[in-house]
Amino acid sequence: MSDLAKTPEKKSADPAAAPGPDATAAPAAPAVDPRLLIREEGFKGYLTEFTRKVRGGELGSLPVFLGLVVIAVVFQTQNSNFLSASSLANIAVYTSGLGIMAVGIVFVLILGEIDLSVGSVAGVGAAIWAVLQVSNGWNGWLAIAVALLAGLALGLLHGFFFAKIGVPAFVVTLAGFLGWSGLQIWLMGKEGSINTPTGSVVENLTGYYFEDKFAAYGLAVAAILIYGLSQFLDSRRRRAAALPARPTSEIVLRTAVVAVLCLVVAYVLNEPQGARGLPLALVLFLAVLLIADFVARRTMFGRQVFAVGGNAEAARRAGISVDRIRITVFGLSGLLAAFGGLFVASLSGGATKSVGAGNTLMLVIAAAVIGGTSLFGGRGKVWSALLGMIVIQSIQQGLNMLGMASEIQFMITGAVLLAAVVIDSVSRRTQKSAGRA
């Protein structure tokens, strides 16, 4: 037998390394999420976290809010009526139709795709409603339902060619942009325009205002309660799952800020001089935003949309039906485009061959991008549609009040869009370098 085999195994001289039979192993200390420590540090911790996010390219909606502040200050100093009740009401009404269309674009952009047909689909939806109700005497609600279903069908058709046939979304929707424009002109016939009936549902979309002051304040209070309750329930749900959650003090502070903003807007809309009350268009737009935000953040479908937009192949391997998600998203975009087209028709006094034409498509896409939705897919929020449209309409409203020509408005809007895309690109590059992309 070798010497190595005869050598007895050496025992450790360290008593701690060889515990007795009664000794028990010390439990490992639980890992503490650094975000919990940051929140425990109070304001200093949040300032540190904010600085880290900015340096890492996680800007969120900060550029948009800063831009809105600059816009408000500049135009208010040039015209004291910019922040008046009538001016803000006009911004809210003109934001609604294009904003609803932009919500659909947000979902498409999250997929990392583009939809160039929204303007034409909006025009077809308005034309179908006008022909059915005005020219053929259909019930208004039924005509609206058929118009919305037509928009849904056109969107699903785009999604089918993209997902099942493999035609790039850019080409499919470009073909839709051209083809549905021709269909819109054909539907409108020789006259080319159909006026909105007085007192009709479509006319009231942008022409009806809740004059009772309780309406504006009631909506503001409802928004405050919904926001505060959602924050509280989300925090409780995360605590139950042992995840980092916002402390109650932060929830109260956030709700207080939202309360101030909502109540100030309600007060301005109810201002005795020049105010007409709460626009129905704003209420409907906010309803669409709330529903779409719930779908995007709280449903399996919404999470799958983000997954497909982030990495389609990984989503497919995870068991997600990528084709179904893509077809459904384009169908949603078509549905919201048709709905927004009814608002545009309401503003213009009826359905015409030009509804959805012109710069409609560019403004809708610009709103989604300016609001913070990434053109590269996988990142964005439904509320981007609201923020982006407020920026665009505020610029147009301010320039109109200053008597600026339309070409100046186009140039400034284009510059803002370019700035938003540059910020998005730089943000993504910074996140990659910081290892967070």
Side-chain angles (χ1 to χ4, degrees):
M1 187 177 292
S2 65
D3 294 340
L4 181 60
K6 295 178 182 178
T7 303
E9 182 180 357
K10 293 184 179 180
K11 295 182 178 180
S12 173
D14 186 0
D22 297 334
T24 57
V32 179
D33 193 298
R35 288 173 290 183
L36 292 176
L37 298 178
I38 289 172
R39 284 170 175 153
E40 289 177 357
E41 293 178 2
F43 178 76
K44 180 182 177 181
Y46 281 105
L47 182 60
T48 303
E49 176 71 0
F50 174 77
T51 305
R52 182 194 67 80
K53 286 185 176 181
V54 172
R55 290 178 177 176
E58 302 177 39
L59 300 178
S61 301
L62 178 62
V64 183
F65 285 113
L66 294 178
L68 285 174
V69 171
V70 172
I71 291 171
V73 171
V74 170
F75 285 121
Q76 182 65 17
T77 55
Q78 297 297 317
N79 191 319
S80 59
N81 292 323
F82 177 74
L83 294 178
S84 64
S86 58
S87 176
L88 293 181
N90 285 336
I91 293 174
V93 171
Y94 280 90
T95 292
S96 57
L98 298 182
I100 290 173
M101 298 166 65
V103 172
I105 289 295
V106 168
F107 279 92
V108 175
L109 291 180
I110 291 175
L111 280 183
E113 303 298 337
I114 193 68
D115 187 354
L116 301 179
S117 67
V118 288
S120 298
V121 174
V124 170
I128 290 176
W129 157 78
V131 169
L132 292 180
Q133 179 177 353
V134 181
S135 302
N136 293 280
W138 282 37
N139 175 268
W141 289 103
L142 182 58
I144 290 174
V146 173
L148 296 181
L149 290 176
L152 174 63
L154 297 182
L156 292 175
L157 183 63
H158 298 154
F160 172 79
F161 278 101
F162 167 53
K164 295 296 186 181
I165 308 300
V167 183
F170 179 89
V171 177
V172 172
T173 56
L174 179 60
F177 168 77
L178 298 173
W180 307 138
S181 295
L183 176 61
Q184 175 186 359
I185 295 174
W186 178 78
L187 288 172
M188 295 304 302
K190 296 181 179 180
E191 295 183 0
S193 64
I194 301 177
N195 295 330
T196 305
T198 303
S200 64
V201 177
V202 172
E203 183 189 49
N204 289 333
L205 288 178
T206 59
Y208 185 81
Y209 288 75
F210 297 96
E211 298 181 356
D212 192 343
K213 293 184 177 181
F214 175 78
Y217 285 117
L219 180 61
V221 172
I224 296 167
L225 293 177
I226 292 174
Y227 178 82
L229 183 61
S230 65
Q231 292 289 309
F232 173 76
L233 293 178
D234 181 68
S235 177
R236 190 174 68 173
R237 185 165 48 247
R238 295 180 67 86
R239 290 181 189 276
L243 295 173
R246 291 190 176 99
T248 305
S249 58
E250 180 184 350
I251 295 176
V252 172
L253 179 60
R254 286 171 172 264
T255 305
V257 173
V258 172
V260 171
L261 293 175
C262 292
L263 292 176
V264 167
V265 172
Y267 173 78
V268 173
L269 291 176
N270 285 329
E271 184 180 322
Q273 297 180 351
R276 298 177 60 185
L278 176 65
L280 174 63
L282 178 60
V283 177
L284 295 176
F285 183 23
L286 292 177
V288 171
L289 285 170
L290 286 174
I291 296 172
D293 180 65
F294 177 82
V295 170
R297 296 193 304 115
R298 301 297 183 186
T299 65
M300 182 65 70
F301 170 76
R303 289 189 287 269
Q304 290 177 347
V305 171
F306 280 96
V308 173
N311 191 321
E313 184 58 31
R316 181 178 287 107
R317 294 182 179 182
I320 297 175
S321 177
V322 176
D323 291 347
R324 178 180 61 83
I325 294 298
R326 286 172 170 171
I327 293 174
T328 305
V329 167
F330 275 91
L332 178 63
S333 178
L335 173 65
L336 293 177
F339 191 27
L342 298 178
F343 282 78
V344 176
S346 177
L347 282 172
S348 59
T352 65
K353 295 180 179 180
S354 61
V355 170
N359 61 345
T360 299
L361 171 63
M362 294 298 103
L363 290 179
V364 170
I365 296 178
V369 176
I370 291 173
T373 302
S374 176
L375 283 171
F376 303 97
R379 189 178 65 186
K381 294 181 179 180
V382 171
W383 293 95
S384 300
L386 173 63
L387 296 175
M389 283 310 307
I390 290 178
V391 170
I392 292 175
Q393 292 298 333
S394 296
I395 293 174
Q396 293 188 350
Q397 176 76 5
L399 293 177
N400 285 333
M401 296 178 72
L402 296 179
M404 294 289 183
S406 60
E407 55 266 25
I408 302 298
Q409 299 180 22
F410 292 155
M411 288 188 286
I412 293 179
T413 304
V416 173
L417 173 60
L418 178 61
V421 177
V422 169
I423 291 174
D424 181 37
S425 301
V426 173
S427 174
R428 288 179 60 87
R429 186 179 306 171
T430 305
Q431 290 185 40
K432 287 182 178 180
S433 63
R436 298 191 182 93

